[in-house]
Amino acid sequence: RFITTNWDYLLQREILSLNLEVQPAWMANSHVFHLNGTVEELEGNSNRSPFLLEEDPTSERWSSPEADIVYNQMLWDRTFVVVGMSFECDTDKFLLAALSRAKDDLPIGESQWVVVNRNKSVLDTSADRIATALPRATIKKACSGFQEWLDSEMKEVQQWGAITF
């Protein structure tokens, strides 16, 4: 499952560029969820999350089928990889606040996170924000670019047994 706060199709394009003929196991339950909306023009787009910008107040965020599905799935997940996200703006902090409310009752409370960012300061801030929202979570930091991290075979995720090569 892929969750993004970006509005572009970057994840979809990258997956499509693989030209896969058979769906690999890592995509079994896969979908790209856009928490802050998308620029994608789909017929019947009413299931999508509302289009939000960094400057928008959290009061602009309203429930949508897309947001409800991904939020409920996240509550039951245990392993997360966060790439390049700082949780700096209010719309992104909203996600951590919502997850924090369920931290003692559901698996999210004891989840494992790998935070990947080449900027050490942003990396530390992101990890601290996750730790504040989910104090019993385990957080590993990878101070590198995403491609560099992939090339290193994502050792943090492998150590948890979430992926093997």
Side-chain angles (χ1 to χ4, degrees):
R1 176 176 322 108
F2 299 94
I3 305 164
T4 182
T5 59
N6 293 339
W7 313 275
D8 59 32
Y9 310 71
L10 178 63
L11 289 172
Q12 292 97 313
R13 278 196 314 265
E14 289 300 313
I15 292 169
L16 290 173
S17 74
L18 298 173
N19 295 315
L20 301 170
E21 292 184 23
V22 177
Q23 184 180 30
W26 59 267
M27 286 185 65
N29 295 316
S30 196
H31 181 77
V32 178
F33 292 92
H34 291 264
L35 290 182
N36 293 341
T38 180
V39 294
E40 190 175 26
E41 293 290 331
L42 295 175
E43 199 171 313
N45 220 19
S46 61
N47 290 334
R48 288 290 196 180
S49 297
F51 196 90
L52 296 172
L53 300 173
E54 288 182 355
E55 304 82 36
D56 289 337
T58 56
S59 60
E60 295 294 317
R61 184 180 295 281
W62 45 268
S63 182
S64 67
E66 179 179 39
D68 290 347
I69 289 167
V70 73
Y71 174 73
N72 286 315
Q73 289 176 351
M74 288 179 76
L75 292 174
W76 292 93
D77 284 339
R78 294 189 180 272
T79 305
F80 297 87
V81 176
V82 176
V83 180
M85 189 167 177
S86 65
F87 298 102
E88 181 68 30
C89 67
D90 287 343
T91 55
D92 294 344
K93 287 178 184 174
F94 180 89
L95 174 61
L96 287 180
L99 294 174
S100 179
R101 286 192 290 275
K103 68 182 176 230
D104 293 328
D105 300 319
L106 296 171
I108 189 74
E110 295 179 345
S111 52
Q112 305 170 72
W113 297 69
V114 176
V115 182
V116 181
N117 200 307
R118 71 178 69 243
N119 182 312
K120 175 100 168 79
S121 175
V122 174
L123 173 67
D124 291 340
T125 301
S126 298
D128 289 346
R129 288 183 172 140
I130 295 167
T132 299
L134 302 165
R136 292 182 295 126
T138 303
I139 302 165
K140 293 185 179 188
K141 298 186 276 189
C143 191
S144 70
F146 185 62
Q147 187 61 53
E148 180 185 355
W149 183 69
L150 290 176
D151 293 343
S152 74
E153 297 185 340
M154 305 173 279
K155 65 179 184 245
E156 298 84 1
V157 181
Q158 282 193 58
Q159 290 167 352
W160 286 327
I163 193 168
T164 57
F165 287 94

